[in-house]
Each structure stands twice: as structure tokens, then as C-alpha cells.
Amino acid sequence: MATQCVSKVELSISCNNLIDKDIGSKSDPLCVLLQSVGDDKWTEVDRTERVKNCQDPEFSKKLRLDYHFEKVQKLKLGIYDIDNKSVDLGDDDYLGGFECTLGQIVSSRKITRPLELKKGKPAGKGTITITAEEIKDNRAIVLEMEAKGLDKKDLFGKSDPFLEFFKKEDDGKWQLVHRTEVVKNNLNPSWRKFTVSLHTFCNGDVNKPIKVTCYDKDEDTSSDMIGEFTCTTAQLLEVKDHAVEFDCIHPEKQKKKKSYKNSGVVCVKMCKLQREYSFLDYIMGGCQINFTVGIDFTGSNGDPRSPESLHYMSPDGLNQYLSAIWSVGLVVQDYDSDKLFPAFGFGAQVPPDFKVSHEFALNFNPSSPYCQGVQGIVEAYRMALPQVRLYGPTNFSPIINHVAGFAAAAAQEPKASQYFVLLIITDGEITDLDQTRQAIVNSSKLPMSIIIIGVGEADFKAMEFLDGDDGVLKSLTGEPVARDIVQFVPFRQFANAPKEALAQSVLAEVPSQLVSYFKMRKLDPVNPPETTK
């Protein structure tokens, strides 16, 4: 699962042309932010200050909330005319509201929409403008360290040194923030360059005390301390202007020996601050997520007319394929401005000549396989199902290579403007495993992620192998993936879970996969955030 800490988003609100409810003066508006908790229940997240006598307020208090890419976060913004001191808004005039998702706001960065008194009833000419900004310190520290003349700790060889960095917490305790690799048998080691977010390293405060301890790695016993020193991040950064070295001091040795100088010297070879862009930086900077669906129409699914079939439509018009499309599609669609999604089937005999196809357009229009929104994919699937004959084999590589072709074209442009997410829904009996492995390795160098949802009760060993969570996926020739891009989940795990749970599980890793691609290509957001807070 993605271990990213939660992103916090700040919304700035302004309104224009609010309706006037006060006689003899203008309204005194305030904006309230509510978030859906399901079943048409809403909970208040935050509210702005009240602006007196104003029909075009710009609220100075920002509204803060947690952002989750993998969820549809429904929001309601309500504007009230406050005429009393009570916190309850029930006794205040409602000047209009607006409903949307947080995904819609962050994918546009700034939106202006008409206010409504209720669904379909405009609040005069009133409008609301919402601007989103991520709250974070996006700086990272890049460090390269070396040491000279470290004490020899091992009887039959030199020391095997490594460094640990700690920051001082508010309670005075030292918290580990980074550990270098071990350099074997060397009293003058150079460690590899590393990058840590400045928040992790020193809570963003370059004057916060940092402790660096040098140890000798012992395989059999706990590691021996060679020595340590304290400093600040600001001191480490001084290496730009002059050499920065610290005596590595062993407290016990220092106490025992008057002539003791040090147990070696630790030198800062290089230290600098750089910006680390987040998922939201790329999305709010103009990156579009292109969503494509591939549906398994192979014979192993069973005859769609039989209730045992995975393609059988239950009386409520759903099956596992459709549930998966709805769950994932509803989240991803907010990040694609044209909402046109290519949708394909594979493994069926397709009209008019009923030849087997491994990438046919669900709408049978190969020159324009696009469906309008998630609803369009669902309708195309329902139309296609009775017209195709389920067949085989189950080949994934054609559809992966198809999307990879578009991703490769986007990758030619040296900017972070497009990313592709391919959702494959399958009963899991994959035939072309070797070609699929190669297709995934090739795709890992491109701006794309692959989500595989396994429906039915099959043994999904091959799918779990493609996910690569247990080890690095390699092609037949032994080439490893450039980055992890496949996420597999079996649908049955979510049979009794809320409908949002499936999307949360499969989409949780997409933000870090997107960032890892653009980082690998050294690409900044198209429109980077203006300032570093």
C-alpha cells in the first residue's frame, strides 16, 4: 500500500453578486464546507470568517481538508447571511450553495460556478470561485557524506561503517530520519548520495539540532558506535562555500583520555536543497489522467445467459465487471477533462466475420473507441455483450501494448502533461504470460499504470506474479521493470465491503507511480506552484 502521508489541501473562496437578504444594508456572508459521509449525510469540515456588508466577499480564512486521490470526496459549499452570534446556521439566511468533488477542484486548480438555492434553482446571479492549493513544504535535502581516519573496531579487519541521522523532537528525544548503507572494510568510506524530504529530516527547520552517529556494522552482535556529533541542517548546507567537517567523538573515549582528539572525521561532500514535486503539484499543474478499460470476453467466464457466468447480468443490471468499472471509473473521471474513455474487449469472436480479437472497441468503432464518461463505458459493454461470442485465448499483451503506444507518443513531449491508467478486468486465466511480462517491462518506462481486477473464483497466481509485490518483475530476457506499475486485486476480497473500498485499494498506489515516472524523467509540472511555503 502507498505509505504517503496524507496531503492537505487549502481552498480559497470568493463570491460575486450574492443575493441581498438584509433590508437597508448588504448581507454579511460566511462560507461553510461540508463533506459527504454517505447516504446523503454531510459533516462540517471547516468554515470561513463572516464578511460584513458585502455582496462580493473574498474570504481570508482558508478552508482546510485532507485529500485522497483514491476516493470520491463529495463536497458542499454553502453561503449564509449571518445576523446573529449563534454557531448554528439553521436560523441564518441561505444565499446559495455549490456541490462538487474535491477531485474536480484540484484537477482544475481554480473553478467559478453559479450558486444554487436548490438543485436547478439559481441564486440570482451569484457565483462562487474556489482555488485549491496543497499545504506542504516541498523541499528535500540531498546529502553526500564521507569520512576519514575512522577508528578500527574489528579484530581481523577494518571497520564496516554506516551513518545514522537523527532529529531532535520537541520532547527532547532523538528520532531516526535516515540510515546510510554499510561500506565494508574501510576506514575512509564514501557513502552514496541520498535524498530525504526536509520535513522528515528536520521538520522544515534548518536550525533544528541534528545528531549524526557513525557505527561499525557487526553481523553477529549489535553494531558498535565509532563516534557521533551534533549540528544543524544550516551548518551542513554551508558546504557550498567552504569545506564542512565534524570530529566524530566517542563520549566514553573522550572521558577516559585527555589527549583524545576524535575517532575520525566526517565530511560533507555535497549538501543542497531541492524541490520535490507531489502528485497534486502535477495534477494542479495541468497533468491529465487518461483512463482506458480492457474487458475479458473469454470463454472461461461462462455463457452470459447463465446465472453462473461472470458476465451474467443480475436483476439489478450489475455484475462484477460493471461494479469494477463503476468503482474505479467514478474516481478517475474527475482527472480527465474531456471524459472520453477508450474501452476495449479481448478474447471474443467479434461481428461481422466473428474472428477472434484481442483488442476490439466495445462500441465496434475502431477509429473512435471512445465512450462518454463511465456511463458510456457501461452502455457500450451492455450493447456489446449479446453481440460477441466468448472465446479465447486470454491475451493481455495486445491491449497493454495498445495503451503503451499512446503513452509512448505522450512521452515524446518533454513535459508532464499526460499519464495513462489502464484498467484490465479479467477472470484471470492468462495465456500470453511471457509477452505480457515484456509489455509491462516496456510500459514501466512510460507514463502509465496498470490496474488488474480479478473477478470470479479463479487461482490468481499469475496476476499476483505480475503485480511484483513479492519481488521485482522481470521480462523473459531478465530485464527488470524500471518502476512498479501494476496493481492487482481480486474482486472477491471486496464482496462484502462498501462499494468505495475496491477503488481505494487499487488506486492507492497511482499517485506515487505517477510521481515516480516524472521524477525518473526529471520533469517538473507544466505549471509549477509559484512559491515554496
Side-chain angles (χ1 to χ4, degrees):
M1 286 297 282
T3 51
Q4 280 184 312
C5 48
V6 176
S7 295
K8 288 206 176 294
V9 169
E10 196 169 73
L11 303 180
S12 304
I13 311 293
S14 62
C15 298
N16 287 96
N17 301 316
L18 292 178
I19 49 179
D20 201 356
K21 289 278 186 174
D22 287 0
I23 299 161
S25 69
K26 291 176 179 156
S27 298
D28 304 331
L30 163 152
C31 179
V32 177
L33 172 65
L34 306 171
Q35 187 164 349
S36 167
V37 288
D39 301 327
D40 210 30
K41 290 194 181 77
W42 299 81
T43 180
E44 182 175 329
V45 179
D46 206 352
R47 58 171 69 185
T48 65
E49 80 283 11
R50 175 177 75 153
V51 177
K52 285 192 173 172
N53 279 341
C54 186
Q55 280 170 285
D56 303 300
E58 186 171 335
F59 299 102
S60 66
K61 183 182 179 303
K62 313 297 183 200
L63 303 174
R64 291 189 167 198
L65 71 165
D66 291 345
Y67 164 80
H68 302 271
F69 166 72
E70 67 278 10
K71 293 182 187 171
V72 177
Q73 293 174 265
K74 287 190 186 155
L75 305 180
K76 195 189 273 189
L77 290 136
I79 310 295
Y80 291 86
D81 176 15
I82 307 296
D83 285 327
N84 54 38
K85 288 200 166 64
S86 77
V87 176
D88 180 28
L89 299 167
D91 53 4
D92 296 300
D93 287 327
Y94 186 54
L95 303 179
F98 169 62
E99 279 184 44
C100 64
T101 67
L102 186 52
Q104 285 164 345
I105 300 171
V106 297
S107 61
S108 302
R109 204 184 206 170
K110 180 177 186 173
I111 58 174
T112 300
R113 295 288 185 273
L115 288 166
E116 293 188 327
L117 290 169
K118 53 175 185 243
K119 203 100 183 122
K121 187 180 180 198
K125 291 182 179 165
T127 61
I128 184 167
T129 298
I130 308 157
T131 309
E133 193 180 340
E134 188 178 3
I135 310 163
K136 66 174 188 328
D137 181 340
N138 66 359
R139 294 171 300 171
I141 185 165
V142 187
L143 262 172
E144 197 174 354
M145 308 291 287
E146 60 185 1
K148 295 178 206 151
L150 293 175
D151 283 359
K152 178 173 169 298
K153 287 282 188 182
D154 295 354
L155 210 53
F156 300 111
K158 297 171 180 164
S159 299
D160 304 324
F162 66 96
L163 298 176
E164 286 189 343
F165 293 76
F166 300 84
K167 67 180 171 190
K168 196 169 204 173
E169 291 290 20
D170 293 339
D171 59 5
K173 292 197 175 102
W174 292 102
Q175 189 191 346
L176 180 67
V177 292
H178 183 75
R179 179 184 291 122
T180 67
E181 78 283 8
V182 175
V183 177
K184 291 268 188 187
N185 211 23
N186 195 330
L187 299 179
N188 301 295
S190 282
W191 289 280
R192 281 199 298 270
K193 185 165 72 174
F194 65 90
T195 305
V196 184
S197 93
L198 198 64
H199 182 76
T200 301
F201 195 75
C202 59
N203 291 1
D205 176 0
V206 294
N207 297 312
K208 197 182 227 342
I210 300 289
K211 180 171 79 170
V212 184
T213 308
C214 184
Y215 291 98
D216 167 35
K217 177 74 176 165
D218 248 333
E219 296 306 331
D220 312 326
T221 57
S222 64
S223 301
D224 297 327
M225 182 163 100
I226 295 173
E228 64 185 14
F229 63 90
T230 56
C231 62
T232 64
T233 307
Q235 284 172 289
L236 298 172
L237 286 163
E238 285 171 12
V239 75
K240 287 198 293 289
D241 309 313
H242 55 82
V244 174
E245 296 185 346
F246 297 95
D247 284 336
C248 200
I249 303 294
H250 192 293
E252 299 300 314
K253 283 190 174 180
Q254 196 178 31
K255 272 185 205 159
K256 282 181 188 163
K257 245 181 168 180
K258 278 212 167 107
S259 61
Y260 174 81
K261 190 171 177 223
N262 62 37
S263 295
V265 174
V266 175
C267 320
V268 183
K269 223 167 146 181
M270 187 273 285
C271 181
K272 64 176 184 181
L273 294 183
Q274 68 181 31
R275 295 178 78 160
E276 291 276 285
Y277 290 111
S278 69
F279 174 69
L280 276 177
D281 285 333
Y282 286 106
I283 293 300
M284 290 156 79
C287 183
Q288 293 281 307
I289 295 182
N290 301 284
F291 179 50
T292 304
V293 179
I295 297 175
D296 182 340
F297 284 96
T298 54
S300 48
N301 282 278
D303 182 344
R305 290 164 299 191
S306 154
E308 280 72 56
S309 169
L310 293 168
H311 281 294
Y312 176 73
M313 294 282 188
S314 64
D316 60 5
L318 277 180
N319 58 28
Q320 290 187 8
Y321 280 94
L322 284 174
S323 298
I325 292 168
W326 275 119
S327 180
V328 177
L330 285 177
V331 172
V332 177
Q333 70 173 359
D334 281 342
Y335 299 87
D336 186 328
S337 57
D338 65 10
K339 310 273 184 284
L340 290 173
F341 304 123
F344 299 94
F346 57 92
Q349 294 174 318
V350 181
D353 52 8
F354 289 97
K355 282 199 176 110
V356 176
S357 172
H358 297 296
E359 47 163 317
F360 63 90
L362 273 194
N363 61 6
F364 299 119
N365 182 353
S367 62
S368 181
Y370 301 98
C371 301
Q372 182 67 56
V374 184
Q375 184 67 45
I377 302 173
V378 169
E379 284 162 11
Y381 167 78
R382 286 187 173 141
M383 293 282 286
L385 192 56
Q387 297 183 62
V388 300
R389 293 179 193 151
L390 272 56
Y391 205 69
T394 309
N395 291 351
F396 279 18
S397 60
I399 199 160
I400 294 174
N401 290 331
H402 179 100
V403 175
F406 288 100
Q412 293 303 308
E413 281 194 67
K415 57 182 192 178
S417 57
Q418 295 201 66
Y419 195 83
F420 294 77
V421 173
L422 168 61
L423 168 63
I424 298 175
I425 313 171
T426 177
D427 71 350
E429 306 287 340
I430 185 168
T431 318
D432 66 337
L433 189 59
D434 292 341
Q435 292 91 326
T436 295
R437 280 164 65 184
Q438 185 63 56
I440 290 170
V441 168
N442 296 345
S443 300
S444 70
K445 302 170 205 153
L446 297 171
M448 70 183 275
S449 292
I450 301 167
I451 293 164
I452 304 172
I453 295 178
V455 294
E457 297 305 315
D459 167 18
F460 291 118
K461 283 275 185 295
M463 300 298 111
E464 284 158 5
F465 170 68
L466 294 176
D467 190 333
D469 275 354
D470 299 333
V472 176
L473 178 72
K474 292 183 174 141
S475 69
L476 261 187
T477 57
E479 183 187 0
V481 285
R483 51 193 191 93
D484 180 18
I485 63 164
V486 177
Q487 177 71 359
F488 165 74
V489 296
F491 190 89
R492 60 174 174 245
Q493 278 185 6
F494 298 90
N496 302 314
K499 60 180 186 295
E500 300 82 24
L502 175 68
Q504 285 170 32
S505 175
V506 292
L507 292 172
E509 290 187 25
V510 168
S512 57
Q513 289 172 358
L514 179 146
V515 170
S516 75
Y517 171 75
F518 291 128
K519 202 170 169 184
M520 181 174 86
R521 290 280 316 275
K522 299 186 168 55
L523 293 174
D524 291 351
V526 181
N527 299 304
E530 277 104 46
T531 54
T532 301
K533 291 224 168 145

